[in-house]
Amino acid sequence: MKKDRETEAPEDFDVHDLPSVAERRSKATPKTVPEAVLRRLPRYFRILRGLFNADILRVSSDELSSHLGITASQLRQDMKYFDAEGQRGYGYSVKALYTSVSSLLGVSKKHTAAMVGAGNLGSAIASSMILEQRGVWLKGVFDVKAALIGKTVAGVPVRDAAELPDFCSANNIDILIICCDPGSAERAAELASGTGVRGIWNFSQYELQSEKTGVPTENVCTGDSLMNLIYEMSGKNENKTQI
Amino acid sequence: MKKDRETEAPEDFDVHDLPSVAERRSKATPKTVPEAVLRRLPRYFRILRGLFNADILRVSSDELSSHLGITASQLRQDMKYFDAEGQRGYGYSVKALYTSVSSLLGVSKKHTAAMVGAGNLGSAIASSMILEQRGVWLKGVFDVKAALIGKTVAGVPVRDAAELPDFCSANNIDILIICCDPGSAERAAELASGTGVRGIWNFSQYELQSEKTGVPTENVCTGDSLMNLIYEMSGKNENKTQI
DNA sequence: TAGATTGTTAATCGATTAACAATC
DNA sequence: TAGATTGTTAATCGATTAACAATC
């Protein structure tokens, strides 16, 4: 009983159209979400989005847990922190779960972003669906290279990096996306501080510390992932498969 | 007593020049490295590389742990799995630790790679230092788009994607790097299977399962990182700062 | 030597697993 | 109803912290 469609299947669904948490019954969710559950949240999000978009209405702990590579028991423990109840004998509503995870993650809110670095990496991210799928609206792109200024990246004109602070202030930018070289990265983070930027998403090789930037900062350490791969390839972990 | 240079400081140091594990005394390292330690290994690697390149010879558990954001106690527990001993009263040799972590991760070995997708993302990765810093040699780049074939990416000529399997077999390619669209990603993984490719590093939005590819597979889920950032920005985790 | 810092043991904490009664 | 599956409790496992004797 996989595809168990009820009424109309949402065709052009966007997570931002979902009912807000306040609109739904609250289970009086336990306060703090534990580290371990937090780490799994983005995977819950992706898997539930997949199920939702495939018009699957219900899912059992057994099935969903196998998608995640965890035990059904563990999944049911996780559910304590989700704002959605299951139904004994039937399972969980995919939509309720998806809504709950989305709002828990804060992904159902809209955010604005500015990007520093209009090179290959910046272009790749700006052109992908990653930003819009999570409610992030790229409002400005900046670079120091004169050759790039005036061109467009994913439809957004490239501006002189010197204009970054003013632009952030004027446009209420929430997120600074750093796609430039390590040297400029630190400077960009400094420039953005005090402009109202509330978070930094950093792709440069220069690792930024939230303690220094003063705002939540997420470093995308691509190289770490390559090292994990090489470790797995070395065959040293005879235990279970990593996730 | 930070910079405590002894004799000559290695100028043009490369992790691949380090003495092999076999050449060094073995502490009879406990068999399996626990999950938690494994997750920290890439960070150990980066920090130790930084210290090493800054010519810092010794480091105490107290200092190194603060770089990692863990307790000194925890760090000393981790050391059980490292093939390097500290010296009571003084600390650890940065070089010995760096060597140990490098060989544990398998990063001190050389690997060959082929990349599928010569777009912005592929170009960005190929042009970065990420690959060569970890002993990965990009031998071929492939794309389906005729317009790109014949051009070069980071000095490597772009070939027709149809040639991928033969190329991998002929050149003993270890790692397949996937930088193409989700649709082609699955196909690329299939094409590479049976060619001797021993690992897949996947940047596409299509999540590959190692169970299906049959080889260690690392998915770089960039979007997950953005979601974590948004979660942190929501201020819901009043607990401690994430790492 | 005296001070510093490791290596290790024991205690605590958190996360996962197992099991089953509640109930849809 | 009968079968399925949740919600929850208790048991187990693993990871972190604390403390201190060993020793450089």
Side-chain angles (χ1 to χ4, degrees), chain A residues 221-241:
Chain A
C221 301
T222 310
D224 287 7
S225 147
L226 177 56
M227 290 206 279
N228 287 329
L229 175 64
I230 292 174
Y231 179 80
E232 286 170 58
M233 286 169 62
S234 77
K236 273 175 201 150
N237 59 340
E238 297 308 313
N239 26 355
K240 59 182 175 179
T241 327

Side-chain angles (χ1 to χ4, degrees), chain A residues 35 39 42 45-46 103-104 120 123 134 201 203 207 218 222-225 227 230-232 236 242, chain B residues 35 39 42 45-46 103-104 106 120 123 134 201 203 207 218 222-225 227 231-232 236 242:
Chain A
E35 256 297 306
R39 264 202 299 272
F45 176 80
R46 272 190 278 121
S103 76
L104 237 182
N120 282 321
S123 304
R134 288 163 186 82
W201 197 27
F203 284 83
E207 192 172 10
E218 190 77 18
T222 310
D224 287 7
S225 147
M227 290 206 279
I230 292 174
Y231 179 80
E232 286 170 58
K236 273 175 201 150
Q242 248 60 43
Chain B
E35 256 299 306
R39 266 202 297 273
F45 176 80
R46 272 191 278 119
S103 75
L104 236 182
N120 283 321
S123 304
R134 289 164 186 81
W201 198 27
F203 284 83
E207 192 173 8
E218 190 77 16
T222 310
D224 287 7
S225 147
M227 291 206 278
Y231 179 81
E232 286 170 58
K236 273 175 202 149
Q242 247 59 44

Side-chain angles (χ1 to χ4, degrees), chain A residues 3 13 15 26-27 51 66 79 87 179 181 184 189 213 219 231:
Chain A
K3 281 221 173 189
F13 180 80
V15 69
S26 169
K27 194 166 49 174
L51 296 176
S66 79
M79 288 302 134
Q87 210 183 341
C179 299
D181 58 287
S184 315
T213 60
N219 295 291
Y231 179 80

